[in-house]
Amino acid sequence: MESTEAFVTFQLGWPQMHHLFALLCLVAVVKLTMLLAERRDAFRNFEAFPGPPAHWLFGHVKEFKQDGTDLDKFVKWGQKYPYAFPMWFGPFVCFMNIHHPDYVKTLLISTGPKDDLSYKFIESWLGEGLLVSKGQKWLRHRRLLTPGFHYDVLKPYVKLVSDSAKTMLDKWESYANTNESFELFKHVSLMTLDSILKCAFSDNSNCQTDSGTNAYIKAVYELSNLINLRFRTFPYHNDLIFYLSPHGFRYRKACKVAYSHTEEVIRKRKEALKEEKELDRVQAKRNLDFLDILLLARDEKQQGLSDEDIRAEVDTFMFEGHDTTASGISFILYSLACHPEHQKICREEIIQAMDGKDTMEWEDLSKIPYTTMCIKESLRLYPPVPGMSRKITKPMTFFDGRTLPKGKLSIVYGIHRNAAVWENPNVFDPLRFLPENVSTRSPHAFVPFSAGPRNCIGQTFAMNELKVATALTLKRYQLIEDPAQKPMLIPRLVLRSLNGIHIKIKPVKAAKGLA
């Protein structure tokens, strides 16, 4: 009897299974038809923009070997296809790569949002913070957070960054009297994390002196790599496929580490602020910081940020406030190691500006113009954020008459090495940033912090940190290139090197004695 009922139930279940299967097939056919229509439209819309030949299935993905040559490939294609060219990631996703100042200006002065593909992958980690939010939410958050970057708030940070930099430089003593090179990035990452925790969150973490690998930095590195992998692997664009994959498991595991780090920072501050509800009362006790402003910010309706919004902004600034500056500082020090003639001029300028002090102060930041030019030249050659993208919300016509239709995705990449804009673009020449040379060049030729309404809100803080770290390092050590270990550049969310960034150092006094 039971077997008969089971058979009947089994038989009755078949039509339902058939219907479900038919429905799934119909959905798949409709989806494929839509994707093919989008692909056809993309080819039609990009007819005016010739570009490198693309594989019908993989697009240009296989062209990028992740071996340190990818940036060179972008530059080479940029020489062949002036202004802009299409880039295919898989059979259906196409970005217009822009690499000319006049095109960049048109794109970045628009109010278009970040693209909803690659930034969607970042959103699952960073939430809807300033980096990825759009519309009224972005505008409200930008307005509420702008006071956190007023110079009165930034001014005390200079000493805090100096303290963090000195801790790092003390640790370098073990390398100073050897002739061996060492890898910069891991040291600088800890230093910039230490700095952002002290400055933005008033958190003395001791992350530079604690033994072992910092779990948060390791998680950020993992997340950056996995987001890049997901972008390049078309099936991973589907949330379910990525979620079920081993890479999706690693991604969620790294997210948990990052979340626990930021949640602990927020929890500690909320405890400290329980008794203090006004910014001026907080400031009377200590320096006002970014997290104070975040937690106590109110709009015209006296509405603050939700807990979810606060965590998103903390995650965003924790990542952007340490990883981008770590890349920038590391490549600046590497550039100066490779160019001792410029390093010497910077050191003399820094020693004069600091006038016997061992800590940089706010007033000293404006006294090192040549060092600042060297920093900008390194940012040109090695931009910490190698690309930025936008979604076009209405048809966009460029100065040469060509038009991109609504809905298309654009990315800015390779502009800093465009030979049509920069003479001898691969040569390190800080004099490009002399005021008289800057005045003859489009302001959109150099965009390490983006431009337009969605430029980097923390760029002044970042530049100050780059100056402080560079100045204190050059005052103390002579930087020497290791020709056997040249960086192999890999574009991620942040520019990195496949084999690390290596230099040798000597104490400045000892180096002078040898001279």
Side-chain angles (χ1 to χ4, degrees):
M1 183 69 181
E2 288 180 2
S3 61
T4 304
E5 288 178 358
F7 177 77
V8 171
T9 303
F10 177 77
Q11 290 288 78
L12 289 173
W14 266 109
Q16 295 175 358
M17 292 295 291
H18 282 311
H19 291 154
L20 178 61
F21 181 72
L23 179 62
L24 290 173
C25 288
L26 179 62
V27 170
V29 168
V30 171
K31 181 67 174 175
L32 182 61
T33 302
M34 291 171 62
L35 288 171
L36 289 172
E38 287 180 18
R39 179 178 170 87
R40 184 187 65 242
D41 290 343
F43 273 115
R44 187 183 301 126
N45 293 327
F46 292 150
E47 279 179 348
F49 298 91
H55 187 276
W56 70 271
L57 179 61
F58 300 110
H60 294 101
V61 170
K62 283 196 163 186
E63 296 283 346
F64 301 108
K65 309 297 184 185
Q66 306 294 305
D67 61 356
T69 63
D70 294 348
L71 184 57
D72 295 334
K73 184 153 290 189
F74 268 96
V75 173
K76 184 178 178 182
W77 283 342
Q79 292 170 348
K80 189 172 182 181
Y81 306 103
Y83 307 135
F85 57 86
M87 290 283 303
W88 287 87
F89 294 88
F92 306 116
V93 177
C94 188
F95 279 78
M96 179 61 66
N97 184 67
I98 287 173
H99 56 96
H100 189 276
D102 292 332
Y103 267 58
V104 171
K105 178 181 179 181
T106 304
L107 182 71
L108 295 186
I109 64 172
S110 72
T111 56
K114 303 290 182 72
D115 82 78
D116 51 7
L117 177 65
S118 54
Y119 284 94
K120 179 186 77 171
F121 304 151
I122 301 172
E123 187 179 330
S124 58
W125 164 27
L126 297 180
E128 289 190 73
L130 275 184
L131 181 64
V132 297
S133 60
K134 55 191 174 184
Q136 288 302 309
K137 181 169 188 174
W138 171 82
L139 195 62
R140 177 175 179 260
H141 283 212
R142 179 88 179 201
R143 189 169 61 248
L144 288 175
L145 299 185
T146 295
F149 298 91
H150 189 274
Y151 78 91
D152 282 339
V153 176
L154 296 179
K155 197 171 179 179
Y157 292 173
V158 174
K159 183 183 184 305
L160 297 175
V161 173
S162 290
D163 291 342
S164 294
K166 284 190 285 186
T167 300
M168 177 185 74
L169 297 174
D170 287 343
K171 291 168 62 180
W172 287 7
E173 285 287 350
S174 59
Y175 304 109
N177 295 309
T178 71
N179 196 36
E180 295 179 4
S181 63
F182 67 101
E183 204 282 316
L184 277 176
F185 198 95
K186 61 185 179 183
H187 291 277
V188 178
S189 287
L190 282 172
M191 186 274 288
T192 56
L193 179 59
D194 190 24
S195 291
I196 196 69
L197 286 169
K198 284 178 181 174
C199 296
F201 308 109
S202 297
D203 182 6
N204 292 305
S205 68
N206 299 316
C207 63
Q208 291 196 80
T209 51
D210 288 344
S211 59
T213 303
N214 184 276
Y216 175 74
I217 288 179
K218 189 177 179 182
V220 167
Y221 199 92
E222 175 87 325
L223 290 165
S224 179
N225 286 340
L226 289 170
I227 288 169
N228 180 267
L229 175 70
R230 188 178 183 188
F231 182 71
R232 293 184 291 109
T233 308
F234 176 69
Y236 279 176
H237 290 188
N238 180 278
D239 290 339
L240 181 61
I241 292 174
F242 183 69
Y243 184 89
L244 295 174
S245 72
H247 293 113
F249 174 78
R250 283 168 50 192
Y251 181 85
R252 293 191 298 278
K253 186 178 178 182
C255 276
K256 285 181 181 177
V257 174
Y259 292 159
S260 65
H261 180 83
T262 52
E263 284 169 356
E264 178 63 11
V265 169
I266 295 170
R267 185 195 64 77
K268 285 162 64 177
R269 177 53 56 81
K270 281 187 171 180
E271 286 292 320
L273 284 178
K274 272 184 177 177
E275 304 300 320
E276 305 294 341
K277 299 298 181 186
E278 301 295 333
L279 288 179
D280 54 352
R281 291 170 66 186
V282 174
Q283 197 166 11
K285 289 189 172 183
R286 56 171 168 76
N287 294 327
L288 198 63
D289 67 23
F290 171 72
L291 190 51
D292 292 324
I293 290 167
L294 201 59
L295 290 168
L296 299 177
R298 296 292 182 270
D299 60 19
E300 58 277 3
K301 297 179 182 178
Q302 292 304 303
Q303 295 295 311
L305 296 171
S306 68
D307 287 347
E308 183 182 354
D309 288 339
I310 289 169
R311 197 188 78 173
E313 297 299 356
V314 171
D315 277 324
T316 297
F317 280 91
M318 194 79 72
F319 160 62
E320 289 216 79
H322 101 270
D323 211 30
T324 53
T325 50
S327 176
I329 291 167
S330 298
F331 280 110
I332 289 163
L333 300 182
Y334 170 76
S335 297
L336 291 170
C338 295
H339 299 90
E341 69 281 13
H342 297 299
Q343 183 186 155
K344 183 175 182 292
I345 298 170
C346 290
R347 181 175 294 107
E348 291 170 352
E349 175 184 71
I350 290 161
I351 290 171
Q352 183 176 358
M354 293 181 67
D355 193 25
K357 296 176 297 188
D358 64 351
T359 298
M360 284 286 282
E361 297 178 358
W362 177 265
E363 294 74 20
D364 300 326
L365 298 176
S366 60
K367 299 176 184 177
I368 50 172
Y370 196 88
T371 305
T372 302
M373 291 194 295
C374 287
I375 289 171
K376 289 181 178 179
E377 178 66 346
S378 180
L379 293 177
R380 180 187 71 81
L381 287 167
Y382 306 104
V385 181
M388 62 199 88
S389 56
R390 296 286 187 274
K391 183 173 183 178
I392 296 172
T393 54
K394 57 185 178 182
M396 184 174 288
T397 301
F398 298 99
F399 77 100
D400 59 355
R402 294 188 290 182
T403 300
L404 277 179
K406 174 184 176 181
K408 294 305 168 191
L409 307 175
S410 293
I411 187 169
V412 178
Y413 206 97
I415 185 172
H416 292 162
R417 294 189 186 230
N418 186 342
V421 180
W422 306 93
E423 187 178 353
N424 298 320
N426 295 321
V427 173
F428 184 86
D429 179 11
L431 298 183
R432 301 177 199 274
F433 292 95
L434 282 170
E436 57 267 31
N437 292 332
V438 171
S439 65
T440 62
R441 193 167 55 235
S442 167
H444 291 87
F446 179 65
V447 286
F449 299 106
S450 189
R454 295 203 65 142
N455 67 349
C456 174
I457 193 174
Q459 60 183 290
T460 302
F461 169 79
M463 274 301 292
N464 290 349
E465 185 169 17
L466 300 184
K467 289 180 183 182
V468 170
T470 303
L472 293 180
T473 302
L474 292 187
K475 183 175 183 291
R476 189 159 170 180
Y477 295 117
Q478 182 188 38
L479 313 180
I480 304 163
E481 179 188 10
D482 181 358
Q485 301 204 65
K486 292 186 177 294
M488 300 168 67
L489 304 183
I490 46 170
R492 293 288 186 264
L493 295 178
V494 169
L495 186 68
R496 301 185 186 277
S497 169
L498 197 62
N499 58 332
I501 305 170
H502 295 79
I503 63 168
K504 302 176 184 180
I505 60 173
K506 287 187 182 297
V508 166
K509 290 179 182 178
K512 283 183 178 180
L514 289 172

